[in-house]
Amino acid sequence: MAHRRFAEVKRQVGETFNVIEDWMLDAFGEKRDEFFAQLMGEDLEVAVARRRRGMRYFAAGRAKDRRMFASILFPLFQGDPHEHRYLEAVEDVLRVAGVSVQPRSRHKLSFDLGVLYFTADSQGNVYGVVASDDFPMASSFKFLEGMLDVYEGIDVTTALNKTDASLWE
């Protein structure tokens, strides 16, 4: 059993090394001018945003009327040109499945910019985090559980109901 685990880890490390080695050859080898021309042809911010690993965005909203009460782009991803798309993904979940998401249930939705993990609280609020494809699902849900605990002590319903309606238009 230990040998199989070792062999698997060794294979994964080897694959990662090969990817890095290929990138180094592209960036510093004979084809570097071609590589940089291609890189500069892409929108650099978009390319970096797609490749950066981690939790990118957190949002929360009330399912029954789709009012958002939290929308945060994580510091490492400030300037990410896809922020509006992350918000749209959470809004889509609120619109399509919001009221059917059970409290503390775990859901995952993959899309072209990463993965949206989401859950709900007992008040009918949905919480979601967008992460890169390779970011651990367990870490994403641990973060969401922590956010549920944070918002549990806040009377979100009263705050949303008493807020000026012009903020939601």
Side-chain angles (χ1 to χ4, degrees), residues 42-52 56-59 71-74 76-91 111-116 130-132:
E42 296 179 30
D43 183 354
L44 194 55
E45 285 183 352
V46 171
V48 169
R50 285 185 184 269
R51 292 184 180 120
R52 188 168 284 156
R56 298 175 175 164
Y57 178 79
F58 167 75
S71 176
I72 302 162
L73 191 63
F74 288 96
L76 185 61
F77 294 91
Q78 290 302 316
D80 186 329
H82 303 296
E83 182 175 5
H84 70 283
R85 297 268 319 275
Y86 304 148
L87 175 61
E88 286 174 1
V90 175
E91 288 175 334
F111 66 114
D112 61 331
L113 297 174
V115 180
L116 170 63
V130 175
S132 58

Side-chain angles (χ1 to χ4, degrees), residues 22-37:
D22 290 346
W23 183 87
M24 295 289 285
L25 284 172
D26 287 343
F28 301 107
E30 293 175 12
K31 297 180 182 178
R32 72 176 170 264
D33 293 334
E34 198 177 297
F35 174 75
F36 282 113

Side-chain angles (χ1 to χ4, degrees), residues 10-23:
K10 183 179 176 185
R11 183 190 63 75
Q12 289 174 352
V13 169
E15 287 177 1
T16 303
F17 177 80
N18 289 340
V19 168
I20 293 169
E21 187 178 45
D22 290 346
W23 183 87

Side-chain angles (χ1 to χ4, degrees), residues 49-135:
R50 285 185 184 269
R51 292 184 180 120
R52 188 168 284 156
R53 182 174 186 231
M55 285 191 292
R56 298 175 175 164
Y57 178 79
F58 167 75
R62 186 165 61 183
K64 72 177 184 178
D65 57 7
R66 297 188 297 273
R67 285 190 178 178
M68 302 299 290
F69 57 85
S71 176
I72 302 162
L73 191 63
F74 288 96
L76 185 61
F77 294 91
Q78 290 302 316
D80 186 329
H82 303 296
E83 182 175 5
H84 70 283
R85 297 268 319 275
Y86 304 148
L87 175 61
E88 286 174 1
V90 175
E91 288 175 334
D92 286 348
V93 167
L94 281 174
R95 183 176 44 80
V96 175
V99 293
S100 62
V101 178
Q102 297 298 310
R104 297 204 180 256
S105 58
R106 294 179 169 203
H107 305 274
K108 172 184 172 183
L109 176 67
S110 295
F111 66 114
D112 61 331
L113 297 174
V115 180
L116 170 63
Y117 298 100
F118 60 98
T119 189
D121 64 15
S122 60
Q123 305 301 312
N125 300 314
V126 175
Y127 301 81
V129 66
V130 175
S132 58
D133 293 327
D134 57 355
F135 192 76

